[in-house]
Amino acid sequence: MSANTDRYENAVARYFEAWNAREPEARAKAVAAAWSAEGTYTDPLADVGGHAQIAAVIAAAHEQFPGFAFRLTGSVDGHHDTARFAWELVSEADGSAPVAGSDVVTLDADDRIRDVLGFLDRVPTGA
C-alpha cells in the first residue's frame, strides 16, 4: 500500500469517526480532527461550513436515524488531493441499510478534509 493510499484511507477513517460519534463532545473533537477549520460539507440536504455546522448536520442524522452507524462499502479511491468512496447507514439492530451514498472529499496540505461533496444513492421514502 502506498503512502498516498494511506493518506486517503486515513482521512476517510477520520471522516467515519466523526459521522459515528454520538456524544456532542466526541463529535466536536472528531469533526475537528477530520476537517480543516474552514471545511465544508455539501449534499442534497445540506450545505454547511465550519466545524460547528458540520457537527450539527451529523447530530441531525443521528436524531433522524437513532441506532444506526455509517460504514464504508468498498474501497477508497484517490488521486492528488481528492478521494471518493461509498458508504451506507446501517441499523445496529437488524443490519438493514436504508440509506446509502457516495462522497468525494478534497484534502488540504495537512490531510484534513477541505470539502465534501456527497451524493445520496438510496434514501427511504419520507426521510
Side-chain angles (χ1 to χ4, degrees):
M1 183 177 300
S2 74
N4 277 346
T5 300
D6 287 346
R7 175 186 189 211
Y8 307 125
E9 289 179 355
N10 291 337
V12 171
R14 288 190 307 273
Y15 176 83
F16 280 106
E17 286 176 27
W19 275 97
N20 287 320
R22 294 189 178 153
E23 299 302 320
E25 188 174 308
R27 185 180 309 120
K29 184 177 179 180
V31 167
W35 270 269
S36 66
E38 41 305 305
T40 66
Y41 177 85
T42 304
D43 72 14
L45 306 174
D47 186 6
V48 299
H51 292 170
Q53 288 185 0
I54 292 167
V57 167
I58 294 170
H62 284 285
E63 289 173 17
Q64 186 173 5
F65 294 96
F68 283 75
F70 290 88
R71 76 173 174 202
L72 180 68
T73 60
S75 59
V76 177
D77 183 30
H79 62 82
H80 296 85
D81 292 332
T82 306
R84 67 178 177 167
F85 55 92
W87 54 267
E88 58 187 2
L89 185 59
V90 181
S91 168
E92 294 170 342
D94 66 13
S96 64
V99 182
S102 56
D103 291 351
V104 176
V105 299
T106 304
L107 304 179
D108 68 9
D110 297 320
D111 293 343
R112 290 170 58 204
I113 297 168
R114 188 174 57 229
D115 302 298
V116 176
L117 295 176
F119 297 85
L120 299 174
D121 301 324
R122 181 173 64 239
V123 179
T125 303

